[in-house]
Amino acid sequence: MNFAPALIQALRSARHIAVLTGAGVSAESGLPTFRDVQTGLWSQFRPEDLATPEAFQRNPKLVWDWYAWRRSLVERAQPNPGHLMLAEMERRVPQFTLITQNVDGLHQLAGSRNVIELHGNIRRYKCFDCQAPYALDDADWEAPPRCPHCGGLIRPDVVWFGESLPTQAYWAALEAAQGCDVFFSIGTSGRVEPAASLPRVARRARATVVTINPDVETHSESHSYAIHGKAGEVLPALVRAAWG
Ligand code: BV8
Ligand code: ZN
């Protein structure tokens, strides 16, 4: 795999690299992306219909079971070379910000340190009403437990459609997009706002923008590169080409 010399040069001279990842980065860890057809039990639902506060209030058990199923997949998943190479890239540049839409926690498991979780984390739980964090125990698999403080339903600590992003996380992501020299957008279909606008924010701030995705055709224009391929294959080659 070879890369435009100007891109390699931009990486080597970058002071601050920011990366936005989506479900595609975890695909090679065996986790289904949102675009994948929902398998089996969930084939009749769309994520947008399950990942909402209304769906949870209407049918807490259904939404709870969907997250319990996804969490069981996440707990068996291992970081893949794409995750590992992003942790390696962080060690090679003066400043590195990893902004993820994923809720699987695999970037942290791969060793990434500065991780902004825009949409929360499926391994964390909290009370729907008072937001108090809740330590799930195995007995809770069957149905959403009740909050010991207020009796509210316990839910996954993820951001649902129609819910605002954690303010701190979103501002930090905006700041990184505005201040970085190179902005990667890896494994995301770019359909969910406001995360999807971050690459445009970086472009407007004159960063070099790099997209890595099997559904783009490789092309380069000034300060904007698209690389066709899987994150787990492109990132090892790119890190090797830039930093040996
Ligand atoms: C907000 C956590 C407002 C939960 C997620 C109309 C009505 C209501 C709302 C809206 C509306 N129009 C717009 C909105 C806003 C809405 C939105 O954007 N909706 C979409 C559907 C249009 N956004 C929101 O509601 C957000 N909140 O706007 O708040 C507000 C403001 C102020 C005050 C109050 C409220 C909240 C959005 C967060 C939703 N939560 N996740 C959970 O996980 O269960 S979103 C979830 O879907 C993910 O986190 C991610 O963001 C998104 C999925 O996208 P991707 O990660 O890109 O995955 P996808 O499957 O789509 O694509 C995979 C890609 O990988 C593909 O391109 C594929 O080619 C590629 N790929 C595959 N294999 C590989 C690969 N790439 C590399 N390597 C590979 N091997
Ligand atoms: Zn509570």
Side-chain angles (χ1 to χ4, degrees), residues 5-191:
L7 170 59
I8 298 303
Q9 187 44 45
L11 294 178
R12 285 178 181 157
S13 56
R15 187 188 36 77
H16 181 184
I17 292 181
V19 178
L20 172 69
T21 60
V25 168
S26 296
E28 290 156 272
S29 295
L31 295 180
T33 69
F34 281 74
R35 298 303 128 212
D36 294 337
V37 174
Q38 291 273 68
T39 52
L41 187 57
W42 310 105
S43 53
Q44 73 271 35
F45 299 100
R46 291 183 320 137
E48 290 84 53
D49 302 330
L50 287 170
T52 71
E54 296 74 23
F56 184 68
Q57 284 173 309
R58 198 172 42 245
N59 189 336
K61 173 102 176 82
L62 175 73
V63 174
W64 182 261
D65 286 348
W66 185 52
Y67 279 93
W69 170 66
R70 287 178 58 197
R71 199 183 54 176
S72 68
L73 297 179
V74 163
E75 283 168 351
R76 286 200 296 267
Q78 290 300 319
N80 67 61
H83 295 109
L84 296 169
M85 280 299 121
L86 287 171
E88 179 60 28
M89 199 187 284
E90 181 172 25
R91 293 188 278 269
R92 302 304 193 101
V93 296
Q95 192 178 354
F96 188 88
T97 309
L98 180 55
I99 306 156
T100 189
Q101 301 172 88
N102 299 338
V103 295
D104 55 38
L106 290 180
H107 285 303
Q108 294 92 323
L109 277 179
S112 289
R113 296 215 310 280
N114 186 16
V115 180
I116 297 173
E117 293 180 318
L118 282 186
H119 295 158
N121 188 313
I122 198 169
R123 300 169 195 259
R124 286 197 307 267
Y125 283 77
K126 66 180 182 183
C127 172
F128 189 92
D129 295 331
C130 74
Q131 310 298 319
Y134 181 86
L136 206 67
D137 68 45
D138 289 351
D140 296 330
W141 270 85
E142 282 314 302
R146 289 277 172 185
C147 169
H149 309 288
C150 76
L153 281 172
I154 296 302
R155 56 166 283 180
D157 184 11
V158 297
V159 179
W160 279 332
F161 290 100
E163 294 185 322
S164 35
L165 276 56
T167 315
Q168 185 68 27
Y170 182 53
W171 286 112
L174 264 185
E175 197 178 341
Q178 284 158 341
C180 66
D181 307 300
V182 180
F183 189 95
F184 281 89
S185 176
I186 308 174
T188 180
S189 60
R191 296 187 192 185

